[in-house]
Amino acid sequence: ESAPSRDAKTMKHPGEFSYSTLAQIQTIELGGKSDSEFAFAGRCRIINIDPSCSASETFRELSSNLLTRFGQTKQNLVITSVLPRSGKTTCASNLAQLLARAGRRVALVEANTSRPALHRAFNVETSENQPDIQDVLTDITQLDQALYNTETVNLTLLVNRNSEPIVHDYTSTQVEWLYNELRERFDWVIYDAGAVQQVPVSYTHLRAHETSL
């Protein structure tokens, strides 16, 4: 998954965009279009691997613009796109790390039901006995066990166990329970969502009420 050149824009309501350009992210050349674990994880951590490249500079600019715009307030951010495989996980991962470095408590959440990839971006290995986001949506009491602390201070993940599509369309109530719990615990909650047309109906309230990139 690479991050092609595109503008980051805010979306006020589903299907209704407010065109406010926060940054323009150029293609990340690391690994080309390779989907290998090494290349993909590298692009998702480009700010660490190649901090002087143009993409890293742009991610820092984007992070700074968001912090300037929203200050110390708690925020929920949905990373989405018109088309699949357009660099959403790359953007979400690098941005989450930068916000965490700035001292914000950040949760990065798998919300791509068709092609979950966050566990690959951070090399998360979970056992069959450890709950993942699907288990939490079924039983919110499993959230503490499902949260994964990364090597980046202040950055926590909630991932899917593997790359298999999330086929169960959870109810809006189940999604809202998780949404409210994460909002209470963290300063920034970033949802790595699928392409707009692939987001299940139960997830659309995330786009309706929060900032989207």
Side-chain angles (χ1 to χ4, degrees), residues 1 15 24 47 96 104 119 148 150 156 176 195:
E1 180 173 340
Q24 188 173 41
I47 60 168
R104 304 302 195 271
H119 64 291
Y148 178 89
T150 69
T156 301
E176 189 167 1

Side-chain angles (χ1 to χ4, degrees), residues 194-205:
V196 173
Q197 69 270 25
Q198 296 176 328
V199 177
V201 173
S202 58
Y203 283 74
T204 55
H205 78 284

Side-chain angles (χ1 to χ4, degrees), residues 1-6 25-27 79-91 112 115 193-196 213:
E1 180 173 340
S2 59
S5 174
R6 60 185 63 248
I25 303 167
Q26 302 299 322
T27 300
I79 307 293
T80 186
S81 67
V82 176
L83 299 174
R85 298 180 62 83
S86 55
K88 296 178 293 297
T89 301
T90 300
C91 181
N112 189 333
R115 193 169 179 265
V196 173
L213 292 185

Side-chain angles (χ1 to χ4, degrees), residues 7 16-17 19 21 24 31 40 43 51 60 76 97 116 120 128 135-136 138 145-146 162-163 165 180 188 196 202:
D7 291 342
E16 184 177 318
F17 288 87
Y19 289 87
T21 301
Q24 188 173 41
F40 176 70
R43 292 192 292 269
R60 287 194 294 271
N76 291 268
Q97 291 170 84
R120 295 178 54 219
E128 290 297 323
D135 297 312
V136 173
T138 303
Q145 292 176 277
N162 53 49
S163 298
N180 289 333
W188 281 78
V196 173
S202 58

Side-chain angles (χ1 to χ4, degrees), residues 4-49:
S5 174
R6 60 185 63 248
D7 291 342
K9 308 178 189 301
T10 59
M11 181 167 68
K12 292 182 177 179
H13 303 289
E16 184 177 318
F17 288 87
S18 171
Y19 289 87
S20 175
T21 301
L22 300 176
Q24 188 173 41
I25 303 167
Q26 302 299 322
T27 300
I28 299 175
E29 300 297 341
L30 180 64
K33 294 184 178 180
S34 172
D35 199 38
S36 71
E37 298 298 320
F38 178 79
F40 176 70
R43 292 192 292 269
C44 290
R45 304 184 190 187
I46 194 67
I47 60 168
N48 301 319
I49 294 175

